[in-house]
């Protein structure tokens, strides 16, 4: 019988329960880089300013984790609370208060990475994960919550008019800004085998299972 592995995204209720920090490094596939193709031309009649992201990196990250050993005769539903091992917070220029002006930046980040990201002040630090997992085969499992973290830089640009409807984008500041955001977290379970696809949260969780 094949183990039932559930993965889903959800908004978890905030909890004041303190999690024990294990100091584990986030493991997973090497971050994926995305092409830094910034537009050159603009229309001054419709374009004025823009934030353009570049050096965008996507890193699968496990934020909450627990190893469970399922012995014969103990398969089925398991209710557990995960241990927090890392956290993610949205930031722009290292600030955690995200203003509405960052909205256009997040839309362009989403276009680069191909999935939705957090666009407002958000963090995983105050959330405790308790759930029920269906583990139908004996073995060693990793129960996890995690996300794909997106980091990068951005430049502010202005449309310098060259004609009635033509212009070129000009960087307005020599120093790029920075940002961090993340995908809506997923909760799931993963066993020692088979190897999960590189670049996924499931693979990052699988690599945290010891003694497989």
């Amino acid at each position: 019988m094949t183990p039932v592995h559930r993965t889903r995204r959800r908004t978890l209720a905030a909890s004041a329960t303190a999690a024990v920090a294990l100091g584990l490094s986030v493991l997973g596939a090497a971050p994926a880089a995305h092409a830094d193709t910034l537009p050159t031309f603009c229309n001054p009649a419709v374009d004025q300013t823009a934030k353009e992201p570049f050096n965008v990196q996507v890193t699968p990250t496990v934020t909450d984790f627990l190893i469970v050993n399922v012995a014969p005769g103990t398969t089925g539903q398991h209710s557990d609370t995960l241990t927090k091992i890392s956290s993610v917070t949205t930031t722009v220029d290292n600030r955690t208060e995200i203003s509405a002006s960052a909205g256009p930046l997040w839309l362009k980040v989403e276009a680069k990475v191909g999935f939705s990201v957090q666009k407002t002040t958000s963090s995983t630090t105050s959330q405790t994960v308790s759930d029920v997992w269906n583990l139908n085969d004996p073995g060693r499992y990793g129960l996890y919550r995690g996300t794909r973290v997106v980091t990068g830089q951005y430049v502010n640009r202005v449309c310098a008019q060259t004609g009635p409807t033509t212009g070129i984008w000009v960087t307005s500041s020599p120093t790029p800004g920075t940002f961090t955001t993340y995908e809506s977290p997923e909760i799931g379970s993963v066993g020692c085998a088979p190897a999960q696809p590189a670049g996924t949260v499931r693979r990052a969780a699988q690599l945290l299972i010891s003694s497989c």
Side-chain angles (χ1 to χ4, degrees):
M1 184 181 297
T2 302
V4 177
H5 299 311
R6 298 179 298 120
T7 299
R8 63 186 179 280
R9 309 198 185 283
R10 61 165 57 176
T11 301
L12 300 171
S15 171
T17 303
V20 178
L22 299 184
L24 297 178
S25 297
V26 175
L27 300 177
H34 295 265
D36 297 330
T37 305
L38 301 181
T40 301
F41 301 103
C42 55
N43 182 347
V46 295
D47 300 317
Q48 294 179 345
T49 63
K51 295 181 184 295
E52 295 291 346
F54 67 101
N55 288 342
V56 180
Q57 304 287 323
V58 178
T59 307
T61 301
V62 178
T63 60
D64 305 83
F65 189 70
L66 183 69
I67 292 176
V68 173
N69 292 302
V70 178
T74 64
T75 59
Q77 291 189 338
H78 287 251
S79 179
D80 292 286
T81 298
L82 306 188
T83 300
K84 189 173 296 297
I85 62 173
S86 67
S87 61
V88 189
T89 302
T90 53
T91 63
V92 176
D93 298 329
N94 296 317
R95 293 192 293 269
T96 57
E97 292 300 320
I98 309 301
S99 67
S101 64
L105 172 63
W106 300 137
L107 293 178
K108 292 187 177 182
V109 169
E110 288 180 334
K112 276 185 173 289
V113 300
F115 54 82
S116 298
V117 299
Q118 303 296 314
K119 302 178 183 66
T120 59
T121 300
S122 181
S123 177
T124 64
T125 56
S126 61
Q127 298 169 341
T128 297
V129 183
S130 297
D131 209 342
V132 176
W133 285 263
N134 288 319
L135 307 176
N136 295 330
D137 277 351
R140 194 168 176 82
Y141 292 88
L143 312 181
Y144 71 89
R145 182 183 69 155
T147 184
R148 287 185 287 182
V149 180
V150 183
T151 58
Q153 297 174 287
Y154 73 94
V155 290
N156 291 305
R157 311 183 90 197
V158 295
C159 184
Q161 188 167 358
T162 58
T165 59
T166 60
I168 58 172
W169 286 112
V170 177
T171 300
S172 60
S173 173
T175 304
T178 61
F179 65 85
T180 299
T181 186
Y182 58 97
E183 186 179 26
S184 178
E186 69 179 44
I187 292 176
S189 61
V190 64
C192 290
Q196 298 298 313
T200 64
V201 177
R202 289 180 63 78
R203 178 57 177 166
Q206 190 174 51
L207 291 173
L208 290 174
I209 305 174
S210 59
S211 303
C212 277

